[in-house]
Amino acid sequence: MLNSTTTIGGAYLSDDKAQAVYAKVTWRLLPFLFLCYVFAYLDRVNVGFAKLQMMSDLGFSEAVYGLGAGVFFVGYLAFEVPSNLIMLKVGARVWIARIMVTWGLISCSMIFVTTPTSFYILRFLLGVAEAGFIPAIVLYLTYFFPATRCGKVTALFFTGIPMSGVLGGPVSGWIMSSMDQVNGLASWQWLFVLESIPTVILGVTAWFYLSDKIGDAKWLTSDEKALLEYNLNQDQHGKHLHSLRDGFVNPRVWMLSFLYLFFTMGLYGISFWLPTIVKDSGVKNPLDIGLLTVIPYAAATAAMILVGRSSDARHERRWHLALAGIVGAVGLAGSVAYAHDTAIAMFALTLATMGIMTTISQFWTLPPMILSGAAAAAGLAVANSVGSVSGLIAPYLLGIVKTVTNSTNSGVLVLAGCLLIGSCMVFAIPAKLVNRK
């Protein structure tokens, strides 16, 4: 990293100068990428709101819904690694644009679902289209930011998950309450149409807005480019895995991957079932359900940013991640214990969402500390692929439990246990690898 005596190209570059440059890069990239992720996640999980009417209209059981929600991740898993490797060849700008446009069009096509088979096929194709998006963005951020600065910027990007709930909850609730039978379409069909249009627009915009690498960024001066390149080159010295083979077979990559699996079990449980859990606590109106889901997601946004800043400032990753997982588990358990008391259940769900969402943003600070180059492209995709398995397991598990017991309680407790296992696994990663300055 730069210090007060560093010169690049003969120019004196102070710490304040470095801060100003990174602030410029952050403001250029993060708002746009954040917005992309908001709609990415919204298009992935809006089926949770559509479920409130879609199941009765089409005669789907809870198990059919759970499998359909989860089969997205079969396509996602199969195409995740190839997608990230293609991005290395064609560049981030082209590939991120392609991902967004195709998934927006497929999400819109959900209006044509009439049978379980068509539901499964379109959810599978949506997973294929979106495969690679998250690791592509995480990899893209490493083209501009060294690993030691990733806590804050990663947290800012991943606040797209809870913010999709903050923005999408009321909007989805309003669509479900107000658009039924407008021009002959059910409200759940309007939900897919209206929430896919911004995704396609953002995908086209990405083609023109993003720069593939520092050297292509016309919005940076030559001194600013030199500073960023210098810090990235210095950052490589602390990384141990570089080759494509490392990204696939190194035990540390697989340790990270299974760690992520346990944390995302909680994430997808919350994402797909939060509206149902709120409904089961006694709230029936779809708009009210949408408004209430804002509370946990807004709190999670603040928690992610604060913990990300603390993680960077203290150069500590493991405890920040493990404690977030424990908080998430306690919150899920509390939501089960007080399932029929709306006020207490919402407080517990808010605590759970804060912890769960923070585990996701904090987890993604770990791989850039260890991986670089082709190993980063492959390893990030492998970790996200393994984690995506939870997207198949968690909703289907909750669907089966709901069908058999008419309650989600037992399934939610299993997800809480997964978070605790993940929190313990964090400490299998040596501190010297991830707590670097």
Side-chain angles (χ1 to χ4, degrees), residues 147-420:
T148 50
R149 290 181 179 268
C150 280
K152 178 182 176 181
V153 296
T154 303
L156 288 171
F157 170 65
F158 278 100
T159 55
I161 302 177
M163 284 305 295
S164 70
V166 171
L167 301 175
V171 171
S172 297
W174 177 81
I175 293 172
M176 292 294 292
S177 298
S178 307
M179 298 295 290
D180 195 34
Q181 298 308 313
V182 174
N183 292 328
L185 295 179
S187 58
W188 63 267
Q189 292 174 307
W190 277 113
L191 182 71
F192 289 119
V193 171
L194 296 178
E195 292 185 354
S196 64
I197 292 172
T199 302
V200 176
I201 293 172
L202 286 168
V204 174
T205 304
W207 174 279
F208 300 98
Y209 187 80
L210 297 179
S211 306
D212 279 332
K213 55 184 182 296
I214 292 171
D216 297 333
K218 297 179 180 178
W219 42 275
L220 291 170
T221 67
S222 57
D223 283 347
E224 289 168 344
K225 291 178 182 179
L227 183 151
L228 295 172
E229 294 281 11
Y230 176 87
N231 276 350
L232 289 179
N233 290 334
Q234 291 294 107
D235 188 52
Q236 299 305 309
H237 299 325
K239 298 182 180 180
H240 302 273
L241 306 178
H242 306 278
S243 71
L244 185 62
R245 184 176 184 276
D246 285 334
F248 285 113
V249 303
N250 191 278
R252 285 176 181 153
V253 171
W254 287 98
M255 169 63 76
L256 289 170
S257 299
F258 284 104
L259 172 63
Y260 191 49
L261 171 65
F262 284 107
F263 285 135
T264 52
M265 285 289 288
L267 170 66
Y268 290 117
I270 282 287
S271 298
F272 286 115
W273 288 89
L274 182 58
T276 300
I277 294 171
V278 173
K279 183 179 179 180
D280 288 347
S281 73
V283 182
K284 302 303 180 185
N285 184 277
L287 180 57
D288 291 338
I289 293 171
L291 291 172
L292 280 174
T293 60
V294 170
I295 298 171
Y297 285 129
T301 301
M304 293 167 77
I305 294 172
L306 292 173
V307 173
R309 286 178 176 174
S310 173
S311 177
D312 276 354
R314 291 169 171 77
H315 306 288
E316 200 289 321
R317 306 298 185 188
R318 299 190 307 169
W319 278 105
H320 284 79
L321 176 55
L323 289 175
I326 293 169
V327 168
V330 170
L332 286 180
S335 73
V336 169
Y338 298 94
H340 299 293
D341 186 316
T342 300
I344 299 178
M346 282 304 303
F347 175 80
L349 283 172
T350 298
L351 195 66
T353 307
M354 291 170 66
I356 290 167
M357 296 297 176
T358 301
T359 65
I360 303 306
S361 61
Q362 281 302 293
F363 168 82
W364 285 108
T365 66
L366 303 183
M369 289 284 186
I370 301 171
L371 306 169
S372 66
L380 291 171
V382 167
N384 200 53
S385 296
V386 174
S388 296
V389 173
S390 65
L392 178 61
I393 297 172
Y396 191 54
L397 170 67
L398 286 174
I400 291 293
V401 170
K402 176 81 171 181
T403 300
V404 173
T405 67
N406 202 33
S407 171
T408 58
N409 289 352
S410 297
V412 171
L413 290 176
V414 171
L415 300 183
C418 290
L419 290 170
L420 292 177

Side-chain angles (χ1 to χ4, degrees), residues 83-106:
S83 179
N84 230 34
L85 296 180
I86 291 172
M87 177 178 149
L88 277 182
K89 298 291 185 182
V90 303
R93 180 174 62 93
V94 172
W95 201 240
I96 291 171
R98 193 286 304 163
I99 290 173
M100 296 191 67
V101 170
T102 53
W103 101 55
L105 295 175
I106 292 171

Side-chain angles (χ1 to χ4, degrees), residues 61-119:
S61 69
E62 293 283 352
V64 167
Y65 166 76
L67 180 58
V71 78
F72 167 95
F73 295 95
V74 176
Y76 195 84
L77 177 63
F79 289 87
E80 183 87 327
V81 174
S83 179
N84 230 34
L85 296 180
I86 291 172
M87 177 178 149
L88 277 182
K89 298 291 185 182
V90 303
R93 180 174 62 93
V94 172
W95 201 240
I96 291 171
R98 193 286 304 163
I99 290 173
M100 296 191 67
V101 170
T102 53
W103 101 55
L105 295 175
I106 292 171
S107 180
C108 185
S109 299
M110 289 288 291
I111 66 171
F112 301 114
V113 168
T114 56
T115 65
T117 300
S118 59
F119 182 44

